[in-house]
Amino acid sequence: MAKILKKEVLGPGIKRFEVEAPDIARKALPGQFVVLRINEPGERIPLTIGDLRPAEGVVVIVFQEVGKSTKLLGTLKKGDSILDFTGPLGKPSEVEKFGTVVCVAGGVGTPEVFPLARALKQAGNKVISILGFRNKDLILMEAEMRTVSDELIVTTDDGSNGNKGFVTDALKQLIERGEKIDRVLAVGPVIMMKMVSKLTEPHAIPTIVSLNPIMLDGTGMCGACRVEVGGETKLACVDGPEFDGHKVDFDLLMQRLKIYLPEEKESLELFEKACGQHKK
Amino acid sequence: MGKPSPKKTPMREQAPEKRICNFSEVPHGYTPEEAMAEAKRCLKCKKPSCIKGCPVEVDIPGFIGQIAEGDFWEAAKIMKRTNVLPAVCGRVCPQESQCEEVCVLSKKMEPVAVGNLERFIADWEAEQSECVMCEKLPATGKKVAVVGAGPAGLTVAGDCIKLGYDVTVFEALHKPGGVLVYGIPEFRLPKAIVQREVDFIRSMGVNLVTDYVVGMIKTIDELLGEFDAVFVGTGAGRPWFMGIPGENSLGIYSANEYLTRSNLMKAYLFPEYDTPIVKGKNVATIGGGNVAMDSARTALRLGAEKSMVIYRRSKQEMPAREAEIHHAEQEGLIFEFLTNPVRYIADKDGWVREVECLRMKLGEPDASGRRRPLPIEGSEFRIPVDTVVVAIGNSPNPLIPQTTPGLEIGKRGTIVADPKTGRTSKKGVFAGGDIVTGAATVILAMGAGRIAANSIDEYLKTGEWRVE
């Protein structure tokens, strides 16, 4: 059982929990994830660790409500407990002095990138962060990201924040202006990570992506999260979740994320009906 | 005493056509009368060989003798002295190659149905208002950590608590039981029964911690700072795939995932339970072991119109228990023997649609003593499928080996441990079960647990660490 100590709504359907999990907080490192289960009939869902406060025993998770489980999670309040909360899982992110690192995040990838950007900054890197959102109402953690970045660029798909474009446009401009980039770290929607990797490949900029396949146990036991990297099958839970973006088969990942679309739809409809929120 | 009847007292079971539509247990168990009749077939040999046939050395003639007398309470007491998981063993042990194989009767007729009697007595005890408690030796003040709450770990925990140790079990998943809860299906081992045995171990005073991933939260070295001895029973973890083209197509599962979804997460009850599973109409399971039988039979119960087993050797070489193969055949599984998949063909969305196979023939025996399957050139053919379960085995879970310096690891990623003591290359660390042997059976893991528990006791009493 893990108690929710604090709950915040960061944006439409985007929630942030501070969870009491001292064992995990003490040991976890940026880039790792937890697997949680809300209640007895619940499924096991992986969530990247948003932030850690070891001294207080706090693990932060940020999630977007998309399906039944995340919507149900969103209904929990401060003081409620999550039935199962396991971690830290996966390999931590590589943090060392690379030189100039560009941290690219899309949507709810931002809270995941935050502790990574901070760690990279502390390791002596020049950190340039690029955050992308659909519109200005969805912008997350801009102020926090500014504190850990030497330069921060925020783009919106519709230009409502005055900077229209995708994260790839901003990254392209950085490359074109002659910024010497030693490493790119991309966290967000699969299509974004794919496009970032495609952009950096001809420039031979090492690019690390954090993959989010469907998982079950998260400890290497089931193989649900298999991904192809450089033609080899890897398990994202124990071999990752971070991989060389130039070698990942993103198309396969996108297909595999759709395995349970009909079931996810059915589950969500039943849940919304039960909540009395069914739209007419 | 008259001559024993030549055949075992049969156990009633659900009819095949009925049971393929539900997840309830297949056999019903003995009535007290049936159990007593079967127990009376035992010849009470002066030098019983059956005890030696049992990896945990249950006093088989002892408990069977009590059943024959109708003293079920006493029978349960005898059983629990050496076996903390009797209801599990009565259901999943391969008795035919252990106690029952060496039963004197088996030379001339069917052996005593030891497994059925074990199951009977465990189930009988569960129905009583109180349960048999085991005697515990006085507290030693020493602490034992057990990593992994599967058959090996639970046996170590049950034995060590009886020996007076303070025992804590760390389990990575949200439920204790290991393969008993994630792997073996409900229709073969009801989860309520596993829960009952786990509850018993808890009631003896074992501290069971779930959601605790040793290696990630704490390393073995850190545990050694808090505990006097550590037992590692983390099992066979990572599933093998064949490495053939198209194997990552949608609809292709490892048996571990397929069974974990159905058993541990209760996907067969979706949407009441949240975890989904692909309910295929044409399901192919690759492999010939018990796990393959479990997977293919699960597919039927999930609504498959056709559940096939594709195995590269012939029926004679199948590693699955005869009883499992028999049940599978009764239920209408289709066997494609001497057949090996070479690639999968998917549709444009990535879903598996066909498996291309080669026919095989048997050559000379290989290292396992079984005849080696050889491909027949040009024999390619395709089978339409929409779901595939790859059940060709697992390699040991790498988490502990990777995070424990000084722990000797074998060629296949197993932990090296002395089979006579369970002692590893690291002082104070014991190991047993699939993490040492590679994928094997529940009872062999329990046997290793029994040996390790005695060895832990000896080490903690003498402080001596000898490894042969």
Side-chain angles (χ1 to χ4, degrees), chain B residues 300-316:
Chain B
L300 275 183
R301 285 158 174 81
L302 287 172
E305 284 159 13
K306 204 171 155 191
S307 180
M308 287 162 278
V309 173
I310 298 178
Y311 181 51
R312 62 195 181 127
R313 305 188 206 234
S314 71
K315 190 177 172 182
Q316 284 69 41

Side-chain angles (χ1 to χ4, degrees), chain A residues 23 26-27 32 37 40-44 68 83-90 214 216-217 219-224 226 228 233 235 238-239 252 255-256 259-260 263 266-267 270, chain B residues 172-175 182 211-213 216-219 222 237-239 241 247-250 252-254 256-257 260-261 265 270-278 348-351 397:
Chain A
D23 285 331
R26 198 174 49 84
K27 230 17 193 304
Q32 291 186 301
R37 194 173 69 122
E40 187 49 40
E43 59 183 335
R44 293 172 65 96
K68 181 204 168 162
L83 181 59
D84 296 290
F85 199 77
T86 315
L89 299 169
I214 293 170
L216 192 56
D217 65 291
T219 63
M221 192 192 81
C222 82
R226 57 200 199 273
E228 281 181 26
T233 296
L235 302 187
V238 286
D239 302 325
L252 178 70
Q255 281 185 334
R256 288 189 60 87
I259 297 177
Y260 301 108
E263 288 84 1
E266 182 185 354
S267 219
L270 284 169
Chain B
L173 289 173
H174 58 265
K175 267 199 180 76
Y182 75 73
D211 293 326
Y212 199 103
V213 188
M216 301 303 277
I217 294 183
K218 274 184 187 160
T219 61
E222 286 171 292
R238 192 172 173 137
F241 288 93
E247 212 172 14
N248 293 330
S249 303
L250 282 67
I252 303 184
Y253 286 106
S254 74
N256 273 5
E257 181 184 357
T260 300
R261 282 184 181 275
M265 306 309 296
F270 179 89
E272 189 192 325
Y273 279 71
D274 291 335
T275 304
I277 192 165
V278 175
K348 64 172 178 34
D349 296 320
W351 282 92
N397 191 304

